[in-house]
Amino acid sequence: MLFDMDGTLVDSERLWDVALAELAQTYGGTLSDAARRAIVGTAMAESMRILHDDLGQPHRDPEVSAEWVNARILELFRTGLQWRPGALALLGAVRQAGIPTALVTSSGRAVVEIALDTLGRQSFDVVVCGDEVDSTKPHPEPYLTAARLLGVPIERCVAIEDSPTGVASAVAAGAAVLAVPAEVPLAPRDGVHQLESLLAVDLELLAGLLHRSSV
């Protein structure tokens, strides 16, 4: 099992909303809804490029902005991280069944370490962070890396995602994909099973996705 983090397991996108809005405010602007939607699921460098362009300030240093956002999000993660509906129960069922499990996220390691206080470090055999791969989502590398580290063929993995960027990454990697949109609507896509939440997801459904993808 390959789990995305932000918006999939934890309701953290609202915390990113706060951090990004506050950064835009410090730059004297307001982040548009369209730009915020475009940022969902992207790596930090791309997120900062979108934010700067949206504010009409492309000259700003993305590394400086990223440092500011990372520092603020660490504060927010320590105090306000909550599970998405059905996520805790599903993760528990997967682990109880002894299924190899990876966390595959575009967030950096420092942020993920804070999130793991909520998610549980014992919940994952492998953790792949956005700053630990050469190419981030929507590139397939994060999911291919997770499958390789688990020692499981990617074709035998189910990836659960909430964003267009993440879905594209998992599909390109060759995993069976379950999409559960959170902040951004997802258009129907061949080979992607979509549900409104994780509340109705169980091991039988996940096994069915693998069977369907192999037919």
Side-chain angles (χ1 to χ4, degrees):
M1 278 301 304
L2 311 175
F3 288 96
D4 172 54
M5 185 178 78
D6 295 299
T8 298
L9 288 178
V10 288
D11 189 15
S12 51
E13 292 296 352
R14 63 187 180 86
L15 303 182
W16 286 101
D17 287 345
V18 172
L20 292 167
E22 289 179 353
L23 176 61
Q25 187 175 24
T26 67
Y27 289 163
T30 301
L31 186 65
S32 70
D33 290 341
R36 178 64 189 103
R37 289 193 297 270
I39 285 173
V40 173
T42 63
M44 183 61 78
E46 176 66 6
S47 297
M48 295 303 94
R49 184 196 66 76
I50 294 170
L51 183 145
H52 294 162
D53 287 349
D54 188 57
L55 298 178
Q57 302 175 26
H59 61 279
R60 290 198 178 273
D61 187 338
E63 292 188 6
V64 172
S65 296
E67 288 177 4
W68 193 100
V69 170
N70 278 327
R72 183 67 178 111
I73 206 68
L74 287 175
E75 297 174 351
L76 294 168
F77 267 48
R78 289 189 180 99
T79 59
L81 202 57
Q82 299 179 355
W83 288 92
R84 293 285 297 165
L88 177 58
L90 177 60
L91 184 58
V94 167
R95 294 306 283 168
Q96 188 172 6
I99 299 171
T101 307
L103 185 67
V104 187
T105 174
S106 293
S107 292
R109 172 60 68 169
V111 171
V112 174
E113 284 299 317
I114 300 298
L116 286 172
D117 290 338
T118 296
L119 296 169
R121 286 167 175 77
Q122 76 285 353
S123 298
F124 307 98
D125 300 296
V126 168
V127 176
V128 177
C129 301
D131 55 357
E132 296 173 344
V133 291
D134 293 329
S135 300
T136 56
K137 302 174 186 179
H139 194 279
E141 182 184 351
Y143 280 107
L144 292 172
T145 299
R148 176 176 55 79
L149 292 174
L150 287 175
V152 179
I154 189 65
E155 296 81 9
R156 299 299 302 161
C157 295
V158 177
I160 303 183
E161 272 285 355
D162 74 300
S163 71
T165 301
V167 167
S169 174
V171 169
V177 182
L178 173 61
V180 184
E183 299 294 319
V184 179
L186 296 174
R189 181 167 181 167
D190 289 343
V192 176
H193 187 70
Q194 186 170 157
L195 293 174
E196 291 184 1
S197 81
L198 294 176
L199 288 170
V201 180
D202 56 20
L203 298 183
E204 184 178 357
L205 185 148
L206 296 176
L209 294 179
L210 278 179
H211 175 72
R212 181 187 304 175
S213 67
S214 64
V215 173

